Amino acid sequence: MTGPDRTDASGTAEPDGTRRVLVAGVGNVFLQDDGFGVETVQRLAVRTPELPPGVELMDAGIRGVHLAYRLLEGYRTLVLVDIVSRGGPPGTLYMIDVGPEPPAARPEPGPMDTHAMDPATVLALLHDLHAGAGGTLPEEVYVIGCEPRDTDEGMGLTPPVADAVEAAADLVLDLVRRAASVPQSS
């Protein structure tokens, strides 16, 4: 699932300076509102003509390791779309500027459950992979999050979260338009 993608051989930007941006919908569609990120990216896929050059969409679902490896391909900006519990009313949207640094709270070493990787775990893995394999880390990382109502087993978003999907897609579009148009630092 990709939008217009015009990158040069290095994979980082077009000759005109537009930046590669990855928008990744994260979550488990079998746990009701946890499917918010996936649903939002699917909504954006319908709006592909509105995406600026260099923006790609990814339905990451529960494949956090795949997302971490893909990010080593040279994206300047990452936008994760997921549920975020911050105590607000269900359906509340948040835009969080995570920044390029690895999360301060790192998961404990041990067996990795690749089907239960939250965005912080993905970002920590990305930094570990970068240290071992190289690649280019995103300069900017954002989370567009939605306060969930119910993440019990079941298909489909609850009404307040479903109602927030279109507004979340609009937030993502505004963010990627800004991110794609900012000239690269030399």
Side-chain angles (χ1 to χ4, degrees), residues 20-62:
R20 285 185 78 194
V21 176
L22 180 64
V23 178
V26 179
N28 187 335
V29 297
F30 298 111
L31 298 177
Q32 294 185 66
D33 290 341
D34 196 34
F36 167 78
V38 172
E39 180 67 29
T40 301
V41 167
Q42 289 174 350
R43 185 76 50 94
L44 285 165
V46 174
R47 298 171 67 177
T48 298
E50 297 177 60
L51 295 172
V55 175
E56 298 176 32
L57 301 175
M58 178 184 184
D59 173 351
I62 57 174

Side-chain angles (χ1 to χ4, degrees), residues 4 8 20 28 39 58-59 138 149 151 153 162 166 168 172 174:
D8 67 12
R20 285 185 78 194
N28 187 335
E39 180 67 29
M58 178 184 184
D59 173 351
R149 183 170 91 185
T151 56
E153 287 185 21
E166 193 66 36
V172 171
D174 289 344

Side-chain angles (χ1 to χ4, degrees), residues 6 12 38 46 70 143 152 185:
R6 299 178 194 102
T12 56
V38 172
V46 174
R70 178 141 177 215
V143 174
D152 289 335
S185 56

Side-chain angles (χ1 to χ4, degrees), residues 1-24:
M1 175 182 294
T2 60
D5 182 20
R6 299 178 194 102
T7 56
D8 67 12
S10 72
T12 56
E14 294 187 59
D16 68 359
T18 50
R19 300 153 41 108
R20 285 185 78 194
V21 176
L22 180 64
V23 178

Side-chain angles (χ1 to χ4, degrees), residues 24-179:
V26 179
N28 187 335
V29 297
F30 298 111
L31 298 177
Q32 294 185 66
D33 290 341
D34 196 34
F36 167 78
V38 172
E39 180 67 29
T40 301
V41 167
Q42 289 174 350
R43 185 76 50 94
L44 285 165
V46 174
R47 298 171 67 177
T48 298
E50 297 177 60
L51 295 172
V55 175
E56 298 176 32
L57 301 175
M58 178 184 184
D59 173 351
I62 57 174
R63 299 179 320 273
V65 172
H66 179 73
L67 172 59
Y69 274 105
R70 178 141 177 215
L71 286 169
L72 293 176
E73 296 175 9
Y75 295 92
R76 296 293 183 173
T77 303
L78 167 64
V79 180
L80 292 170
V81 185
D82 198 4
I83 57 170
V84 175
S85 296
R86 293 191 139 186
T92 301
L93 293 175
Y94 308 102
M95 185 174 87
I96 304 162
D97 183 347
V98 177
E101 298 303 315
R106 311 254 317 177
E108 292 295 319
M112 185 181 329
D113 180 358
T114 59
H115 295 288
M117 294 181 69
D118 62 11
T121 304
V122 170
L123 294 173
L125 175 61
L126 173 63
H127 283 271
D128 291 345
L129 289 171
H130 178 262
T136 303
L137 292 174
E139 293 176 5
E140 301 171 320
V141 179
Y142 300 94
V143 174
I144 300 296
C146 182
E147 190 76 43
R149 183 170 91 185
D150 194 345
T151 56
D152 289 335
E153 287 185 21
M155 295 290 294
L157 303 175
T158 61
V161 173
D163 290 346
V165 169
E166 193 66 36
D170 289 341
L171 269 175
V172 171
L173 279 170
D174 289 344
L175 183 60
V176 299
R177 286 177 181 137
R178 286 193 314 263

